[in-house]
Amino acid sequence: LEDQDPQVQFNAVTSLGNMKPGTEINWTKIEALLKQEEDPGLRQVALLTMGAHKAPNTQNYAAGLLSSSERNLRHAAAIVLIGYKNSE
């Protein structure tokens, strides 16, 4: 996750997303990738990984991305929120 190459970061986050739920993950690093603005694909995979593991703050991040200008981020946010079955 600390590599500067966005493709390496993408692959690392994807690998974390495929790990068994309950695996101990440093979510601070994933959140940092989600907050960056340069790579929407990296943001998308970070959100989907957080959603797959129901990481802390995932619902808040996903709700905030529902109004993103990036269609793929809006779609990922909706997918993540479905998993929480929020009635709002």
Side-chain angles (χ1 to χ4, degrees):
L1 294 175
E2 295 174 12
D3 196 290
Q4 296 304 308
D5 183 341
Q7 189 61 49
V8 172
Q9 292 174 329
F10 184 94
N11 290 335
V13 175
T14 300
S15 294
L16 291 172
N18 290 326
M19 296 179 90
K20 290 182 181 181
T23 301
E24 189 172 324
I25 296 172
N26 181 348
W27 293 113
T28 304
K29 293 181 180 186
I30 305 297
E31 288 179 27
L33 296 175
L34 181 58
K35 292 176 185 177
Q36 58 82 32
E37 299 279 333
E38 296 81 33
D39 188 339
L42 190 52
R43 293 181 78 193
Q44 179 183 13
V45 75
L47 180 62
L48 291 171
T49 294
M50 290 179 71
H53 288 274
K54 297 213 184 302
N57 302 318
T58 302
Q59 281 183 290
N60 292 334
Y61 287 121
L65 288 172
L66 285 173
S67 60
S68 171
S69 62
E70 294 285 337
R71 182 175 49 128
N72 290 341
L73 285 175
R74 291 192 310 269
H75 185 254
I79 289 171
V80 166
L81 289 172
I82 287 169
Y84 287 94
K85 296 184 174 88
N86 191 338
S87 61
E88 293 180 26

